[in-house]
Amino acid sequence: MKKILSFLKTAWPYLLLLLLLAFAFYLRFYHLSWRGMTYDECLSEERSHWSLWRLWRFYITSRAPVNAIIYYIDGHLFSFFTKSAVLREWQIRLPSAIFSFITVPLFFLLGKDLKDKWTGLLLASLGAVSYLLLTHGREARYYSFVCFFTTWLLIEAVNILKKAPGARDSLRDYALYALAAVGGLGLHQGFYILFAFSDIFLCVYAVL
């Protein structure tokens, strides 16, 4: 009996997290075809059929937000399996829903790294029902991608600060930090603002 109680005491925050993730999954993936495509979503659908060369030229010449590579992969996968050149609403919105969903457990990891599991649960709860994260996770736009990479960047920043300089696995944290930064910058050119914010966060967290 003591072992069971001890297990529940240790595991039940994670059981709550699983319930929270199930709720977040339902909110994001249920009825993704809830409305017709907006103008921005139509642009995402159009770019999903471009060639990689055209996407690259668009990336280096356009000042507009660039998240087309995710939709390129999404569009070509669905076109391959469905043999259709046109994506339905739920198909083009699926990447945004996925990134919005996996950001929720990242919120948990961020809170856990900052303080404890309960802080992580609080952040994950806020992320699961966040109006902005939920809304943008149900649209074929770039906001859920940016939120994902920003949260990942902050997690790696905290891990770097919590470890002693020269620690064996610190190189891995720096590599993951760089990967999150490159991923964010590759998907959205305005990510450098959030990248600068993460550096400010690093300095403030180090001082406190």
Side-chain angles (χ1 to χ4, degrees):
M1 188 63 180
K2 289 184 178 180
K3 290 184 178 180
I4 296 176
L5 291 175
S6 177
F7 171 78
L8 290 176
K9 184 178 180 180
T10 305
W12 79 285
Y14 297 100
L15 296 176
L16 288 176
L17 177 63
L18 287 176
L19 292 174
L20 189 63
L21 290 177
F23 182 59
F25 184 90
Y26 171 79
L27 290 178
R28 283 154 178 79
F29 290 94
Y30 175 72
H31 193 41
L32 273 178
S33 300
W34 61 289
R35 70 174 182 185
M37 291 187 193
T38 63
Y39 174 74
D40 288 340
E41 291 181 302
C42 288
L43 291 179
S44 298
E45 199 278 336
E46 176 193 357
R47 292 165 188 166
S48 70
H49 302 292
W50 287 2
S51 66
L52 282 175
W53 171 243
R54 188 176 180 184
L55 282 176
W56 171 249
R57 289 181 58 194
F58 177 74
Y59 181 77
I60 62 177
T61 59
S62 174
R63 295 183 180 180
V66 177
N67 55 316
I69 188 63
I70 295 292
Y71 297 114
Y72 170 85
I73 297 172
D74 176 63
H76 280 69
L77 281 176
F78 275 112
S79 296
F80 176 79
F81 286 109
T82 64
K83 308 302 181 183
S84 174
V86 179
L87 296 180
R88 297 180 179 178
E89 287 86 353
W90 73 268
Q91 292 172 336
I92 193 63
R93 290 168 182 161
L94 188 60
S96 296
I98 292 174
F99 273 81
S100 176
F101 173 71
I102 60 179
T103 300
V104 176
L106 286 189
F107 281 170
F108 173 79
L109 292 177
L110 178 60
K112 183 173 175 288
D113 289 340
L114 285 172
K115 191 172 183 182
D116 52 31
K117 291 178 287 189
W118 303 112
T119 305
L121 276 175
L122 176 61
L123 289 182
S125 300
L126 295 174
V129 298
S130 167
Y131 177 78
L132 290 177
L133 188 59
L134 180 58
T135 301
H136 295 312
R138 294 172 61 82
E139 295 179 346
R141 304 176 73 185
Y142 62 87
Y143 298 105
S144 59
F145 305 145
V146 173
C147 188
F148 168 81
F149 281 104
T150 303
T151 308
W152 182 14
L153 198 72
L154 291 176
I155 290 173
E156 298 307 328
V158 173
N159 287 336
I160 290 171
L161 286 174
K162 291 176 70 174
K163 292 176 182 176
R168 287 186 177 182
D169 53 351
S170 60
L171 182 60
R172 182 198 64 184
D173 294 320
Y174 280 108
L176 291 174
Y177 182 84
L179 185 62
V182 170
L185 290 169
L187 289 173
H188 187 264
Q189 295 159 321
F191 189 78
Y192 69 89
I193 299 174
L194 299 174
F195 184 63
F197 169 77
S198 72
D199 290 335
I200 295 173
F201 173 83
L202 274 170
C203 297
V204 173
Y205 188 84
V207 171
L208 297 178

